[in-house]
Amino acid sequence: MAAEQAPTASEYVVHHLTHLTNTKQTALVDWTVFHLDSLFYSIALGLLAVFVLAWAARRATAGVPGRFQAAVELLVEMVADQAKGIVHSAHSRKFVAPLALTVFVWIFLMNFMDLIPVDLLPRLWAGAYAVAGHDPHDAYMRVVATADINITIGMSLSVLLMCLYYNVKIKGFGGWMHEMFTAPFGNHFLLWPINFAMQIIEFIAKTVSHGMRLFGNMYAGELIFILIALMGAAWSWSLGGAMLWVGHVIAGTLWAIFHILIITLQAFIFMMLTLVYVGQAHESH
Amino acid sequence: MNLNATLFAQVVVFFILAWFTMRFVWPPIMKALDERAAKIADGLAAADKAKTDLALAERRAIDELRKARETANEFKAGAEQQSAQILDAARAEAARIVAAARVAAEGEAAVAAQRAKETLRDQVALLAVAGAEKILRREIDARAHADLLDRLKAEL
């Protein structure tokens, strides 16, 4: 251990914040790059979420429910109630309510990855990488998919697509365009461009803030876990500050407990905003 | 914070998962919830109905009991009246039989007394005749006469 040069704090953090990609990304925007780790955890947890739900659904009976069924029903009823209060179209709810349920459970699971010790999965991955004969320094792995802006913006973009779809479906393309040009300031030919610009800004702001809120919370949470881990690591490197280890335990415990609230809250907020935005697409100004 | 194709992959995954939930998760759970709600509503209605039925049955039972008690009382009153009548009739019959027996006994006693009187009278007459015969026989002997009379006297 002492023979290897230990990574500096900055190297450690950067290594933790680098995605596993198919090719190295050099530009800020590059549509040929995939974040393989984010996609793996996103898809794996998404499948876990829907299959566990489907398993519960398949065994669901109208009789006395077991604990597992009751828990799933609690979740479903919560989402169904929220959807009923926000989206005033029973037909749309047939798709929007299950979507909201998926979003809630899926995002919760992706956020939950933050509570797994921050070095555990990357270290296992580095070990596997080394066994396969590669340089473990190149074994990048980020386990919190929602701390990847592509994932969160991808989901908020999906919600935007749904909003556009329901706008056209409910109001008709003409009706929607009429609203785009006459709301929010009124129907006057001088106001049309301003209205349209406002509407476009609103759509962009909604989508970006929707994705960025989740991303920001989870990225910050992950970063703090990394910094707390660094505090414990500093003890093992320096041999001097045993207090840092105690600090690691205390801070890690407190932040993890607080994070239980954050991951649930952020999943709930994302679900609620999905419903609100889709609900807005059903209402005319 | 790099934007890349992960974003579009996520959009596709998003809709596939949402579709899956809509197709395989939501309907069975909602169906189970609705069915259970209906079951509970039925159960509550049945419980209400059972409660009213029970109240009705209790009222009917009380009615029946009261009616039975009334009937029994009627029967009892009738029986008492009848027994009183029978007793009265028996008492009257007994009194009549006693009276008839007394009348019959008195009649018999009167007849017997009459017969005894008549017999006595016959015997007195016979005695008188016998006395007279003896007196007549003793007419010859005055002393004897007086003696006979004395004897007669003693016989009477």
Side-chain angles (χ1 to χ4, degrees):
Chain A
M1 203 65 198
E4 288 180 33
Q5 79 282 22
T8 65
S10 129
E11 277 170 1
Y12 175 81
V13 172
V14 168
H15 190 270
H16 259 293
L17 292 179
T18 306
H19 280 284
L20 180 69
T21 53
N22 51 344
T23 57
K24 191 140 180 69
Q25 180 158 2
T26 46
L28 186 63
V29 178
D30 184 347
W31 301 127
T32 62
V33 178
F34 286 98
H35 285 163
L36 300 177
D37 46 2
S38 293
L39 280 176
F40 170 75
Y41 284 111
S42 165
I43 292 171
L45 292 171
L47 291 178
L48 177 71
V50 294
F51 279 115
V52 167
L53 288 175
W55 186 52
R58 235 162 60 86
R59 304 189 330 158
T61 61
V64 178
R67 284 182 175 180
F68 175 58
Q69 192 190 332
V72 173
E73 283 175 1
L74 211 66
L75 205 61
V76 169
E77 280 208 292
M78 184 273 285
V79 175
D81 284 349
Q82 299 289 0
K84 202 173 273 180
I86 296 170
V87 181
H88 302 294
S89 158
H91 187 72
S92 298
R93 274 207 302 274
K94 277 188 183 151
F95 177 62
V96 175
L99 182 134
L101 176 68
T102 315
V103 162
F104 179 68
V105 179
W106 189 19
I107 292 180
F108 176 81
L109 288 177
M110 287 195 282
N111 291 352
F112 186 86
M113 296 303 286
D114 229 355
L115 294 177
I116 294 175
V118 74
D119 272 313
L120 179 63
L121 293 173
R123 182 54 61 90
L124 291 175
W125 171 237
Y129 214 69
V131 165
H134 303 289
D135 182 3
H137 284 292
D138 294 337
Y140 296 108
M141 161 133 320
R142 290 185 63 186
V143 299
V144 188
T146 41
D148 178 355
I149 192 159
N150 290 288
I151 295 293
T152 61
I153 292 288
M155 287 191 287
S156 66
L157 206 61
S158 309
V159 174
L160 175 70
L161 291 177
M162 280 169 56
C163 288
L164 300 182
Y165 169 74
Y166 280 114
N167 264 314
V168 173
K169 190 189 171 200
I170 302 292
K171 300 160 190 166
F173 188 74
W176 180 45
M177 278 302 127
H178 177 78
E179 189 184 295
M180 288 289 281
F181 282 97
T182 58
F185 296 122
N187 192 356
H188 188 280
F189 69 93
L190 282 178
L191 292 172
W192 289 349
I194 301 170
N195 284 331
F196 188 72
M198 286 297 291
Q199 291 274 5
I200 294 298
I201 289 169
E202 193 186 330
F203 273 118
I204 293 172
K206 271 187 200 170
T207 303
V208 170
S209 69
H210 197 191
M212 286 291 255
R213 178 181 300 103
L214 179 59
F215 162 72
N217 272 284
M218 298 325 296
Y219 190 84
E222 192 189 21
L223 195 58
I224 289 174
F225 274 120
I226 291 171
L227 293 176
I228 290 170
L230 201 57
M231 185 158 69
W235 164 67
S236 66
W237 291 331
S238 69
L239 300 171
M243 288 309 288
L244 286 175
W245 184 83
V246 178
H248 180 182
V249 170
I250 294 173
T253 306
L254 288 178
W255 183 241
I257 290 170
F258 183 55
H259 218 57
I260 294 173
L261 175 68
I262 292 180
I263 62 174
T264 317
L265 194 64
Q266 286 304 322
F268 183 72
I269 288 172
F270 198 97
M271 180 203 81
M272 287 302 285
L273 285 176
T274 301
L275 289 171
V276 167
Y277 292 159
V278 173
Q280 279 175 356
H282 285 71
E283 290 155 9
S284 29
H285 288 275
Chain B
M1 198 183 127
N2 303 319
L3 283 178
N4 55 41
T6 312
L7 196 156
F8 300 113
Q10 180 70 3
V11 172
V12 174
V13 174
F14 182 91
F15 283 112
I16 291 174
L17 292 181
W19 169 83
F20 184 91
T21 308
M22 178 189 73
R23 180 76 181 72
F24 296 108
V25 175
W26 198 262
I29 291 180
M30 284 322 249
K31 190 167 148 265
L33 288 175
D34 290 347
E35 272 174 16
R36 190 175 316 127
K39 236 185 217 179
I40 291 170
D42 285 355
L44 289 177
D48 270 355
K49 192 175 165 297
K51 213 184 273 173
T52 47
D53 281 0
L54 181 65
L56 222 66
E58 268 173 3
R59 202 171 313 142
R60 200 177 305 137
I62 289 168
D63 272 2
E64 291 291 329
L65 212 61
R66 191 175 46 74
K67 226 176 276 169
R69 208 172 283 142
E70 275 171 12
T71 315
N73 281 344
E74 262 169 40
F75 273 122
K76 206 171 141 195
E80 271 170 5
Q81 206 177 339
Q82 208 172 343
S83 77
Q85 274 173 4
I86 289 169
L87 208 60
D88 281 353
R91 226 173 250 143
E93 178 70 9
R96 194 183 58 73
I97 289 168
V98 168
R102 186 178 292 142
V103 168
E106 276 172 359
E108 246 166 59
V111 168
Q114 192 64 31
R115 197 177 298 136
K117 248 182 226 165
E118 274 167 15
T119 316
L120 204 58
R121 210 175 278 140
D122 284 352
Q123 279 177 350
V124 169
L126 278 177
L127 274 175
V129 170
E133 200 186 88
K134 285 195 174 140
I135 292 164
L136 290 175
R137 205 173 289 158
R138 287 286 182 166
E139 215 43 36
I140 312 153
D141 187 359
R143 219 190 4 135
H145 191 198
D147 194 37
L148 271 173
L149 279 178
D150 284 346
R151 225 187 283 160
L152 181 68
K153 252 187 247 167
E155 258 174 57
L156 274 173

